[in-house]
Amino acid sequence: MIARKIADQMGRGSMIRKMFEEGNRLKALYGADQVYDFSLGNPDLEPPRAVQEALCRLVLDKRPGLHSYMSNAGHESVRQAVAGRYSRLSGLPVTAGQVCMTVGAAGALNNMLKALLDPGDEVILLSPFFFEYLSYIDNHGGVAVEVPCDRDTLLPDLAAIRRALTGRTKAIIINSPNNPSGMIYPEWLLRELDDLLRAQDHVITVLSDEPYAELAYDGNQVPSTLACLSQVVVCTSWSKTLSLPGERIGCLIVSPRCQDHGLLIQAAVYCNRVLGYVNAPALFQRVIEEAIDAKVDISQYEKRRDMLADVLLEAGFKLEKPQGGLYLFPHSPDPDDVAFAAACARHRVLLVPGSGFHFPGYVRLCFAVKESVIQNSAAAFQAIAREYGLC
Ligand SMILES: Cc1ncc(COP(=O)(O)O)c(C=O)c1O
């Protein structure tokens, strides 16, 4: 009864979903505290106090229309607050008219892909990438063109991107700090990407998926994509920086330097409506306005990153500490990363094979988990390392 395409896609399933199901099976068998689940990217810190207080105030707010429909772009005052923040971050004069509030970063990406793609238009993805991009591109009739990052640096390979460009290339999705690699794309790389794209004979729009942009460690800064790229739309959310993934609140910002930027934002707002989102959740738009400069205590994530990295390094795994995001991306000691993930599951350690991000030979572990999970997993990692002759 359901569409063949969806039946096929559901049959294949995502590797994260499979790990999730395996995790539930193991937790039922051994008890939740005996399973070391690093598979899901669900931030486990609670939202900052500023968010909770804003929410309490707003729930009791007597102003009429708090829960009403509004412009499809979102409340004007909220968009002003977002524009102000991005003006400060980029040094560019961003206005409320360039901002559209969305249903998470996923909603922002879907709005933009719908706004940009004619059937058969190509979208470049830089592997490793967040696997849902494939569905989002397919949703809007596009064709994904995969370009692997450099295997040594895990940074985008500009020469390979140049080779992948065609007359049908409409967009490129970038994601920094990256899920899953944790790499922050440096400013020089963004500027060279800009030069490369501007040298083409047609417009190619960069969709910069930035939900992890505030999660940078060791004093690293994430360069502003609005400052470094001209034809860019920022697609982002407060899912990770304010620990609000379930509230589905995000936004997109069309750079004032984009060609036809007025038309582009109008199209994005129109797509917000016709995709059925209509507008971003009303109450949480107001929360964002009131807590625009808040963020979770990232020192806690930094500490867990260090703890988990130490556990893995001591066991003999090979990895670079990620500069940002919520994930470690060590080399798989078995070239077959899917087999390695299955072996880890036998030790009740759940992680996601790099193949799930179209980058085999690695595995992804989310460190946004309780410290006790990391501490208690050490013996299991030692046992896995012995099995693979790492120690
Ligand atoms: C790279 C990346 N992009 C987009 C999303 C979706 O974000 P949101 O939940 O805000 O829609 C995620 C969620 O994990 C992600 O990791």
Side-chain angles (χ1 to χ4, degrees):
M1 188 255 288
I2 62 168
R4 268 196 299 278
K5 182 165 140 182
I6 295 300
D8 280 359
Q9 289 175 355
M10 284 166 60
R12 268 181 266 130
S14 92
M15 291 198 182
I16 295 189
R17 175 64 37 190
K18 282 184 190 142
M19 277 298 151
F20 181 68
E21 280 155 16
E22 178 62 0
N24 283 342
R25 192 185 71 81
L26 291 173
K27 284 170 194 166
L29 260 173
Y30 298 101
D33 58 339
Q34 297 300 312
V35 179
Y36 313 112
D37 190 349
F38 302 101
S39 63
L40 283 181
N42 206 358
D44 74 316
L45 297 181
E46 288 306 312
R49 203 169 167 78
V51 167
Q52 294 172 338
E53 286 173 356
L55 191 52
C56 290
R57 272 196 306 277
L58 285 162
V59 165
L60 298 174
D61 195 324
K62 293 276 188 313
R63 270 178 301 176
L66 195 62
H67 307 285
S68 304
Y69 288 129
M70 82 283 314
S71 148
N72 300 122
H75 286 295
E76 171 79 15
S77 58
V78 178
R79 289 183 291 126
Q80 268 166 6
V82 173
R85 178 160 176 80
Y86 277 85
S87 299
R88 289 193 291 281
L89 289 174
S90 67
L92 287 181
V94 180
T95 63
Q98 290 152 243
V99 177
C100 173
M101 302 305 291
T102 62
V103 178
L109 287 164
N110 273 280
N111 282 357
M112 286 316 304
L113 290 166
K114 184 163 180 71
L116 286 170
L117 298 182
D118 283 312
D121 279 347
E122 294 169 5
V123 180
I124 292 184
L125 296 180
L126 306 174
S127 54
F129 56 79
F130 177 55
F131 47 88
E132 303 285 5
Y133 295 156
L134 292 172
S135 308
Y136 302 165
I137 293 167
D138 178 68
N139 285 345
H140 307 295
V143 176
V145 176
E146 297 181 26
V147 179
C149 283
D150 183 290
R151 282 200 89 85
D152 293 326
T153 62
L154 296 180
L155 287 174
D157 177 345
L158 292 171
I161 295 174
R162 181 183 292 108
R163 288 194 297 276
L165 294 171
T166 73
R168 297 295 314 257
T169 309
K170 204 60 171 289
I172 171 167
I173 299 181
I174 63 171
N175 170 228
S176 163
N178 185 264
N179 173 9
S181 75
M183 294 304 297
I184 295 176
Y185 299 174
E187 188 173 331
W188 66 263
L189 191 133
L190 296 173
R191 294 199 185 277
E192 286 190 19
L193 176 65
D194 191 49
D195 290 343
L196 170 62
L197 298 179
R198 278 199 294 147
Q200 305 309 305
D201 57 9
H202 68 285
V203 177
I204 300 171
T205 302
V206 179
L207 303 183
S208 180
D209 179 26
E210 311 189 351
Y212 301 92
E214 312 265 345
L215 306 183
Y217 312 117
D218 308 320
N220 276 301
Q221 292 287 329
V222 180
S224 158
T225 50
L226 286 170
C228 299
L229 294 153
S230 32
Q231 184 72 27
V232 64
V233 180
V234 171
C235 298
T236 192
S237 70
W238 287 271
S239 298
K240 316 287 172 175
T241 39
L242 294 181
S243 281
L244 293 173
E247 303 299 348
R248 312 306 304 131
I249 185 73
C251 72
L252 63 84
I253 300 150
V254 174
S255 166
R257 295 195 286 157
C258 277
Q259 191 165 326
D260 293 332
H261 57 87
L263 196 56
L264 203 50
I265 187 75
Q266 276 175 36
V269 173
Y270 170 78
C271 292
N272 211 20
R273 171 158 64 89
V274 299
L275 279 171
Y277 303 136
V278 182
N279 54 249
L283 194 57
F284 270 84
Q285 286 193 44
R286 297 290 192 198
V287 171
I288 295 305
E289 179 180 0
E290 295 205 14
I292 190 75
D293 290 319
K295 65 174 167 178
V296 291
D297 175 7
I298 64 164
S299 69
Q300 296 203 44
Y301 284 143
E302 188 161 342
K303 182 170 175 212
R304 293 160 189 207
R305 175 202 65 164
D306 291 344
M307 285 175 67
L308 187 57
D310 287 348
V311 164
L312 289 171
L313 288 168
E314 273 163 27
F317 289 91
K318 229 176 101 193
L319 92 139
E320 296 291 332
K321 264 193 196 175
Q323 303 163 320
L326 293 178
Y327 312 99
L328 297 188
F329 200 50
H331 291 264
S332 165
D334 183 338
D336 183 345
D337 52 296
V338 178
F340 177 66
C344 290
R346 288 196 285 279
H347 291 267
R348 288 176 268 131
V349 170
L350 301 177
L351 38 73
V352 187
S355 298
F357 307 92
H358 290 216
F359 209 71
Y362 289 79
V363 287
R364 189 197 79 170
L365 296 91
C366 177
F367 54 79
V369 297
K370 290 193 177 44
E371 287 178 23
S372 60
V373 174
I374 300 175
Q375 278 154 354
N376 296 340
S377 69
F381 280 113
Q382 293 282 345
I384 296 166
R386 277 196 298 279
E387 194 173 312
Y388 281 87
L390 304 180
C391 59

